[in-house]
Amino acid sequence: MQSCVIDGKISDFNLSGADSLASMLNSLNGDLVKNGRFIASLRVNGREVADIDQESNQRLERIGPIEITTESPYRVASNIIAEGVEFIEGLQDYLVRTAGHYSSGDECAGRYFNESVQGLQWFVQMIGFIEQTLQLDYDQLLLDGRPVAEYVRSLNSIFLEIVNSQENFDPVLLADILEYDLAPHLEEWKAIFTLFEGELAAKPC
């Protein structure tokens, strides 16, 4: 029988019906969210799993003990905010490199773009999660006299330009948008994450 340890305790979670690590985690996540918890780390066979998606198709009967550590939404938001600026800087660098590949006509440009999109999707999820968890009002939270909601709208507008450049099969325009519009815009979000730090500090744990 597959064993699952959550936060140091053997779980009574019902694994019946779960045949893969992915199906098990999806089902478990549903139960955890109801109790205000999120998966923070995962160990399989005593080994830390850094990329859950990469190993999610493993069959349960082929893996050993599963150890899971959970955290509260507040703690998850705190970690995201603490690492936010570093994440944004890495994303900016990757966007500029992606633009360079498109400008030079490299065949690998599409792969770089897909990875950039994954980073951007995670970023959008991050700012939505922070808003919800800290109960922020982006229409009231201001940076340089502008509500954060305006920065969200600007980000969405750039995303729309990216989609249009793809639909028009214009890699040169796409490269320009990534390097000269999106990457500089993310610089403003680094300042917004400093605002988030202040909001976090002002709230009880």
Side-chain angles (χ1 to χ4, degrees):
M1 180 178 178
Q2 180 66 59
S3 66
C4 180
V5 176
I6 300 177
D7 294 331
K9 299 178 181 179
I10 297 177
S11 171
D12 57 1
F13 174 70
N14 186 2
L15 293 174
S16 62
D19 57 1
S20 67
L21 186 59
S23 60
M24 176 263 189
L25 291 175
N26 286 337
S27 181
L28 178 59
N29 258 325
D31 281 4
L32 289 173
V33 169
K34 292 177 184 177
N35 294 304
R37 308 294 295 179
F38 290 86
I39 295 177
S41 66
L42 171 69
R43 296 178 68 87
V44 176
N45 296 328
R47 180 177 58 85
E48 188 83 23
V49 176
D51 189 342
I52 295 177
D53 290 337
Q54 194 174 49
E55 304 197 31
S56 61
N57 291 326
Q58 287 194 63
R59 308 291 294 183
L60 284 182
E61 67 268 16
R62 296 179 181 175
I63 61 180
I66 298 170
E67 303 169 65
I68 292 171
T69 303
T70 69
E71 290 181 340
S72 68
Y74 182 90
R75 184 60 184 170
V76 173
S78 177
N79 291 338
I80 289 173
I81 291 171
E83 299 171 2
V85 170
E86 182 178 354
F87 178 86
I88 291 170
E89 290 175 344
L91 185 54
Q92 287 174 301
D93 178 68
Y94 209 83
L95 289 169
V96 171
R97 280 193 285 162
T98 301
H101 287 298
Y102 273 117
S103 297
S104 60
D106 291 348
E107 293 183 358
C108 65
R111 176 173 59 82
Y112 271 80
F113 179 74
N114 290 337
E115 293 177 359
S116 295
V117 168
Q118 291 178 10
L120 290 167
Q121 288 174 334
W122 173 237
F123 177 73
V124 170
Q125 291 173 1
M126 279 179 12
I127 59 179
F129 182 77
I130 291 169
E131 180 184 25
Q132 180 181 17
T133 302
L134 300 188
Q135 298 181 331
L136 301 177
D137 184 347
Y138 282 179
D139 286 312
Q140 299 297 321
L141 187 62
L142 303 179
L143 175 69
D144 296 333
R146 293 175 57 198
V148 171
E150 284 192 16
Y151 294 91
V152 173
R153 287 191 286 271
S154 295
L155 182 63
N156 289 334
S157 178
I158 295 173
F159 288 161
L160 182 59
E161 292 178 15
I162 290 173
V163 171
N164 289 338
S165 68
Q166 287 184 292
E167 291 178 346
N168 292 325
F169 303 102
D170 192 337
V172 175
L173 177 58
L174 176 57
D176 285 347
I177 294 170
L178 294 177
E179 183 170 2
Y180 301 114
D181 293 329
L182 184 52
H185 174 74
L186 290 176
E187 193 69 24
E188 296 176 315
W189 279 96
K190 288 163 64 175
I192 291 173
F193 266 74
T194 300
L195 285 182
F196 291 159
E197 290 177 355
E199 292 295 317
L200 182 67
K203 292 181 180 292
C205 297

